Amino acid sequence: MSIFTPTNQIRLTNVAVVRMKKGGKRFEIACYKNKVMSWRSGAEKDLDEVLQTHSVFVNVSKGQVAKKDDLTKAFGTDDLTEICKQILAKGELQVSDKERQTQLETMFRDIATIVAEKCVNPDTKRPYTVSLIERAMKDIHYSVKPNKSTKQQALEVIRQLKETMEIQRAHMRLRLVLPAKEAKRLKEKLKPLLQVVESEDFDEELEMVRRVCLVDPGCFREIDELIRCETKGRGSLEVLSLKDVEEGDEKL
């Protein structure tokens, strides 16, 4: 005995569903498990690795495909790939309570790991452990946002933790090379962006001023732009270390 399957039905297994309501109708796409968050964070760039099929459904579990007219009316296009991208970006990922809890726990630890990698205790210049950051995040009752990247959330956590503990982004160590004629004017402009100037010397032969300094990573782009624009490419910026961190055992 053969079983008749209607032509507008597609059966899929081991699927993660992303759902979106638009134009008063529900639309769903079928994705591979664990790939939706990778796509949203930018880690996965191949759409075929994320989507099980480029079809758009009204109900994935029943295999009911959306009508072309409904798609055009809701999305203004019948390009299935483009519609899938929209649903993937803005839709709601349907997961079981257990899966959601596991996902949130993983993201919580990933955020804590990023914070631990980026930050130090400003008094000792030593990094914090991941477990200590996790405890601090629990103390401020930080709740993970599943639709935001872990990097964005780590920066938000750093801002919040500053209110309850001694923590700061580890400084970058840079070497700035400035033409002597512009050095004085540039120093004034750079002053608010530099945390500590460790050394400065003058190269008479090249007529250049060299400065080694510590800066907040958030200021790097601004410093780089300032030197390039103000010196018309004659000045330069070199990263000596990404993190100024004390190594070895702590002295008592």
Side-chain angles (χ1 to χ4, degrees):
M1 186 176 113
S2 65
I3 297 169
F4 174 69
T5 304
T7 54
N8 71 333
Q9 288 197 352
I10 299 173
R11 296 290 183 191
L12 296 160
T13 55
N14 190 28
V15 73
V17 176
V18 180
R19 181 182 297 158
M20 185 180 192
K21 282 189 178 176
K22 200 169 173 71
K25 292 192 180 291
R26 184 177 82 175
F27 300 99
E28 298 181 346
I29 54 173
C31 305
Y32 291 104
K33 291 197 172 187
N34 306 322
K35 285 292 184 176
V36 176
M37 298 315 293
S38 299
W39 172 270
R40 287 178 172 174
S41 68
E44 179 59 70
K45 306 228 184 291
D46 186 351
L47 196 60
D48 290 328
E49 289 292 318
V50 183
L51 297 176
Q52 292 213 13
T53 167
H54 285 244
S55 301
V56 178
F57 301 80
V58 287
N59 189 315
V60 168
S61 61
K62 291 181 180 176
Q64 293 173 347
V65 182
K67 291 174 184 169
K68 189 175 177 180
D69 289 349
D70 289 342
L71 291 172
T72 306
K73 196 174 172 184
F75 294 94
T77 179
D78 61 358
D79 182 335
L80 292 177
T81 301
E82 198 50 50
I83 294 168
C84 285
K85 282 182 181 177
Q86 281 192 48
I87 298 172
L88 197 51
K90 298 175 184 173
E92 190 181 325
L93 178 62
Q94 307 299 302
V95 291
S96 69
D97 290 344
K98 189 179 177 184
E99 284 176 316
R100 184 178 282 108
Q101 191 54 38
T102 303
Q103 178 196 341
L104 291 175
E105 285 170 4
T106 302
M107 287 186 78
F108 190 90
R109 184 159 184 84
D110 288 347
I111 293 164
T113 302
I114 294 169
V115 173
E117 285 171 354
K118 287 182 177 291
C119 294
V120 292
N121 179 322
D123 298 329
T124 64
K125 291 285 190 291
R126 291 179 183 279
Y128 285 110
T129 62
V130 174
S131 57
L132 193 145
I133 296 295
E134 282 185 301
R135 281 203 304 276
M137 285 168 67
K138 284 172 186 168
D139 288 344
I140 62 169
H141 306 293
Y142 185 78
S143 59
V144 174
K145 299 164 190 70
N147 291 334
K148 277 183 86 173
S149 76
T150 49
K151 190 174 179 183
Q152 280 179 308
Q153 292 188 75
L155 296 174
E156 177 58 35
V157 166
I158 293 167
R159 279 193 290 273
Q160 290 187 29
L161 288 180
K162 279 181 178 177
E163 295 172 17
T164 59
M165 64 187 285
E166 293 295 319
I167 190 169
Q168 70 176 30
R169 293 277 300 272
H171 291 141
M172 295 172 77
R173 182 174 277 107
L174 305 177
R175 179 184 286 123
L176 315 182
V177 180
L178 313 172
K181 287 178 183 175
E182 279 109 6
K184 190 175 180 182
R185 179 172 53 82
L186 262 173
K187 279 183 198 176
E188 285 304 308
K189 289 191 175 184
L190 288 166
K191 200 172 183 180
L193 301 173
L194 308 181
Q195 297 291 330
V196 179
V197 177
E198 292 187 324
S199 67
E200 183 172 308
D201 62 86
F202 178 63
D203 187 319
E204 288 186 31
E205 195 178 328
L206 296 173
E207 293 193 342
M208 288 285 191
V209 174
R210 287 196 185 90
R211 302 181 103 188
V212 175
C213 49
L214 300 178
V215 306
D216 187 294
C219 296
F220 175 79
R221 199 170 291 171
E222 198 178 338
I223 294 168
D224 184 38
E225 222 168 81
L226 192 64
I227 291 173
R228 275 191 294 110
C229 296
E230 295 283 335
T231 67
K232 294 182 173 58
R234 293 194 304 280
S236 65
L237 176 62
E238 182 188 349
V239 178
L240 299 179
S241 67
L242 289 169
K243 284 203 314 185
D244 176 45
V245 176
E246 288 289 335
E247 302 290 348
D249 296 327
E250 193 163 359
K251 298 182 179 70
L252 298 174

